[in-house]
Amino acid sequence: MHGMNRVLLFMVITGLTLWALACEKPMSVAPAAEEQAEVTAAFSLPRMSTTAPLSKIVITVTGTDMDTLRNEVLVTEAGLVRASLTVRAGKKRIFDVAAYQNNVAILAGRDSLDVVAGKKTELAMKLGFLVPALSLTPVDTSVTKTHTFTVYIVAHHVDSLCTIGTKLLFDPARLQVVDLGREDDFLMKNGGAVTQLSFSKDNTAGEVKLVLGIFPASKSVSGEGRVARVVFKAHEGPTADLNLLLHASGDGDLGMFDKHANSMTAYALGSHIRIP
């Protein structure tokens, strides 16, 4: 009996000793360096109004054999935004990306990549709209002085769109409008006719005003598509910003309206031009 007690005592002491050593040197749950890989993510972001710009990008990475990784990148300007992430290597890493204006998610995208340990991976993702919006495309472009370039006004994520009213603002010392044109395919896809209430340019004030409607209202459209194009000539650099307005005090023509004449909560996004 005394021998059994000594054995039990020895086992207890040994267990306590191993527990104490484990507390002194905790095991690391982080993946070893050879299990990690660097992923560079690049996103092309449009320009929003200076009073309400895009504020941040949130990147979430998930996988079956890894802890969820969340990275937040502050947005300081429109154009190309890059972020570098260290991700546990493995197959089918899911990258979820959302761009926010304050706490409202405006754009989002998802992609899946196989991440190889020790290798650099590029993630180039196009973000789609989560809310009704009017944008300019391309969002970030370069053009030399005296040359012309075209930007398109595009409607996104609309439901029963019937009327669009917007102003495109630019610096007349840097850019001049040389041509305007409608893009009717999207607005007419349900068989309606496009009524042009206003489509004019003012190169002195630096403004283009566009107001279009679909008739009859029962032929309203949903989804995404081009509604107009504006051709500019570049004069002075180094940069020029194009801003869209959907809301302006005293101008009831501006906004996006559905077939019941209800105003949509919509966002306007412009573009950034480099003139080297």
Side-chain angles (χ1 to χ4, degrees), residues 236-252:
E236 291 294 333
T239 62
D241 291 318
L242 301 177
N243 292 297
L244 279 179
L245 293 182
L246 275 174
H247 308 283
S249 177
D251 195 337

Side-chain angles (χ1 to χ4, degrees), residues 62-236:
T62 55
T64 55
D65 58 345
M66 63 171 284
D67 293 333
T68 298
L69 173 66
R70 186 180 186 276
N71 192 34
E72 186 172 303
V73 181
L74 296 180
V75 177
T76 57
E77 60 182 354
L80 188 66
V81 175
R82 299 179 71 87
S84 183
L85 306 136
T86 300
V87 179
R88 186 184 182 104
K91 291 184 176 295
K92 293 184 179 180
R93 298 311 189 216
I94 306 298
F95 292 78
D96 286 294
V97 181
Y100 287 80
Q101 181 197 80
N102 298 323
N103 292 319
V104 179
I106 306 295
L107 300 152
R110 166 177 276 205
D111 202 357
S112 174
L113 290 177
D114 292 340
V115 178
V116 180
K119 292 188 177 181
K120 293 184 177 181
T121 304
E122 291 281 341
L123 173 68
M125 184 184 296
K126 181 180 179 181
L127 303 181
F129 285 84
L130 299 174
V131 295
L134 202 65
S135 79
L136 294 176
T137 183
V139 300
D140 188 5
T141 190
S142 295
V143 61
T144 56
K145 292 180 182 179
T146 75
H147 284 65
T148 61
F149 64 98
T150 302
V151 295
Y152 293 91
I153 300 176
V154 184
H156 305 270
H157 204 76
V158 294
D159 184 14
S160 300
L161 175 68
C162 194
T163 306
I164 294 175
T166 186
K167 284 184 179 179
L168 193 166
L169 305 181
F170 60 93
D171 185 345
R174 299 175 184 269
L175 303 172
Q176 293 279 284
V177 177
V178 296
D179 192 26
L180 302 172
R182 295 212 320 252
E183 299 280 324
D184 288 347
D185 288 352
F186 170 65
L187 296 178
M188 296 175 62
K189 72 176 185 176
N190 289 335
V194 177
T195 302
Q196 180 174 303
L197 304 176
S198 178
F199 198 9
S200 61
K201 67 179 187 294
D202 186 338
N203 276 321
T204 301
E207 177 182 297
V208 172
K209 184 171 183 179
L210 171 69
V211 183
L212 301 177
I214 299 173
F215 182 83
S218 60
K219 302 298 183 180
S220 60
V221 297
S222 301
E224 174 176 310
R226 293 177 176 177
V227 298
R229 65 185 179 277
V230 181
V231 182
F232 285 97
K233 186 174 184 178
H235 285 296
E236 291 294 333

